[in-house]
Every structure is written in structure tokens, then in C-alpha cells.
Amino acid sequence: MNAMPNTYDSLLRYNLEPEIFSRKSMLEWLSFISRAPEAAEIPSIHLKLDTGMHRLGFTEDDYEWLKEAISKNPTLRVASIFSHLVGADEGEHNPFSHLQYERFRKGTDFLEAVIGRPVLKHILNSAGIVRFPGYKMDMVRLGIGLYGIEATRQKQSMLQTVSTLKATISQIKPIPAGETIGYGRKGVLESSSVIATISVGYADGYDRRLGNGKGQ
């Protein structure tokens, strides 16, 4: 997804296709393919447009520059153009999601005219697939949905859990009322209890903020 010049040889070797998201990344890729032995071996690229996430991606101010770069480099092959929705999982952001789609269509219409043919277009993430079925275009990108999580909570029954976290009990001990458990003495026992300590926690990436009954 974020290929850099030191990985381009591996892309070529394994027939992988990079995401190109900025003028710098485009210039680096053009420099690389200009030295490639045969044009037939050069992988296609995927152009990312920034329609509102403001993470990676070409902005509208880059479109004329992109037009020139594409026009001057006939060996450059574009497989797809894509963007990413900011708040597809929250209804309050629906107007902005619609605006992102319109911005995306404006950008893809412009670039397809430059390229001279239709290319694959995709903007929907997992939540977008559920909430904006009219924006599916040519492809969708199921991300967190692959892990069995439906972020909008509208279609959870259509997904299956794909992983389970298990741990063994390391120790069980009786602890009297009034004693505390864990960091910061946050877990105060209101009554005498039997406490089991399991072999998973902070060192395994389990966030301490999920303690004291907040996580499950």
C-alpha cells in the first residue's frame, strides 16, 4: 500500500501493484520504470485521491499536474482510482460521505479522460458497503468486515466471527474485601472474592483502559 523506492524491485519481482498517492511517489515511480528493462514487466498502479480523509492521496490541486505526468509517460498503466470515506459508519456524517463521493466522481471523470479509457473505481470501506450500496462502483474494500466486525451494527448477523482470543488461568487466589487488584489500585473489592489471573494482558497489547469491568 505504501511502497517506497527501496521496495520497487520486490514489486517487480512478485508482480505487485503500488498505490501512488502524491507527486513525490509518482516521480519516484516514474524514475523507476524509466530504468525497467521491458515495458511489459512494469506493474500497473493505483491512484489514491484525497476526498476528505486528509491522510494519503492526491488533492484536486494535483489533478492538472497528474494530467501532465500521465500524458507524458505512455508506459504508465493505471489499474484503478480510489478514495476512502471518513465517516461511513456514522449517520451524522452522511452529508460529508455524499460530498466525498461527488468529489471522487469529479476526479475520476477528469482522470479517465486523461487516461483515455475507463479504469476500476472504488471508494467504499466495510461500513460504506452497508450504508451506501449505490456507491459500489466497480469494487469495494472489505476491511474490518473481514474480521467479522460490522461497524454500523446494521448487518452484524451477515458476518461470522473469524478469530478467538484464548488464555489459560495462571493463578487463582482468595482476596478479602477492601483489598485492591491491579495497577493504580483501581479494582477495589467490595466483598471477599476469588480472583483468577489469566496469562494475557498489557504485554500482549490488551489496553489497560479495558480493565475494571470496562472490556470483555
Side-chain angles (χ1 to χ4, degrees), residues 121-134:
K121 295 173 286 293
H122 46 110
I123 193 172
L124 294 187
N125 53 8
S126 295
I129 293 168
V130 174
R131 302 193 68 249
F132 302 103

Side-chain angles (χ1 to χ4, degrees), residues 3-60:
M4 298 297 172
N6 63 333
T7 67
Y8 288 168
D9 287 330
S10 293
L11 293 180
L12 199 62
R13 186 179 312 118
Y14 296 108
N15 195 31
L16 299 174
E17 301 175 346
E19 164 193 352
I20 302 296
F21 52 84
S22 67
R23 298 188 187 196
K24 180 176 182 288
S25 64
M26 176 65 86
L27 290 173
E28 290 170 342
W29 181 252
L30 290 173
S31 174
F32 173 74
I33 66 175
S34 69
R35 304 188 303 272
E38 294 184 28
E41 296 180 358
I42 299 172
S44 298
I45 63 171
H46 301 262
L47 297 177
K48 184 170 190 177
L49 306 186
D50 179 3
T51 58
M53 175 69 85
H54 301 320
R55 201 164 53 182
L56 300 179
F58 291 100
T59 67
E60 191 170 349

Side-chain angles (χ1 to χ4, degrees), residues 44-47 70 76-81 115 117-120:
S44 298
I45 63 171
H46 301 262
L47 297 177
I70 293 170
L76 189 69
R77 296 199 299 268
V78 178
S80 83
I81 305 172
I115 295 167
R117 60 176 174 79
V119 299
L120 295 173

Side-chain angles (χ1 to χ4, degrees), residues 48-206:
K48 184 170 190 177
L49 306 186
D50 179 3
T51 58
M53 175 69 85
H54 301 320
R55 201 164 53 182
L56 300 179
F58 291 100
T59 67
E60 191 170 349
D61 292 339
D62 294 316
Y63 291 174
E64 287 294 336
W65 184 91
L66 263 178
K67 176 181 178 179
E68 184 175 356
I70 293 170
S71 300
K72 289 183 176 180
N73 294 276
T75 58
L76 189 69
R77 296 199 299 268
V78 178
S80 83
I81 305 172
F82 71 104
S83 190
H84 197 78
L85 295 179
V86 174
D89 54 336
E90 300 177 18
E92 65 182 292
H93 300 305
N94 281 2
F96 194 73
S97 294
H98 296 311
L99 176 61
Q100 281 193 268
Y101 178 76
E102 294 304 319
R103 289 173 175 173
F104 183 61
R105 288 312 306 247
K106 181 179 179 181
T108 56
D109 288 348
F110 177 85
L111 292 172
E112 283 186 325
V114 175
I115 295 167
R117 60 176 174 79
V119 299
L120 295 173
K121 295 173 286 293
H122 46 110
I123 193 172
L124 294 187
N125 53 8
S126 295
I129 293 168
V130 174
R131 302 193 68 249
F132 302 103
Y135 294 168
K136 288 180 179 177
M137 307 180 81
D138 302 307
M139 298 171 62
V140 296
R141 302 190 306 273
L142 189 66
I144 195 170
L146 288 171
Y147 297 93
I149 299 171
E150 207 289 88
T152 73
R153 300 183 180 179
Q154 296 179 30
K155 302 287 185 180
Q156 183 61 52
S157 62
M158 298 180 68
L159 299 179
Q160 297 179 5
T161 301
V162 298
S163 61
T164 302
L165 176 64
K166 296 182 179 181
T168 56
I169 295 174
S170 299
Q171 186 177 15
I172 298 175
K173 66 177 73 169
I175 305 291
E179 289 292 319
T180 60
I181 307 294
Y183 287 111
R185 307 196 71 196
K186 302 295 185 183
V188 181
L189 294 181
E190 296 180 357
S191 60
S192 296
S193 305
V194 176
I195 300 298
T197 299
I198 60 173
S199 60
V200 65
Y202 179 66
D204 305 290
Y206 192 82

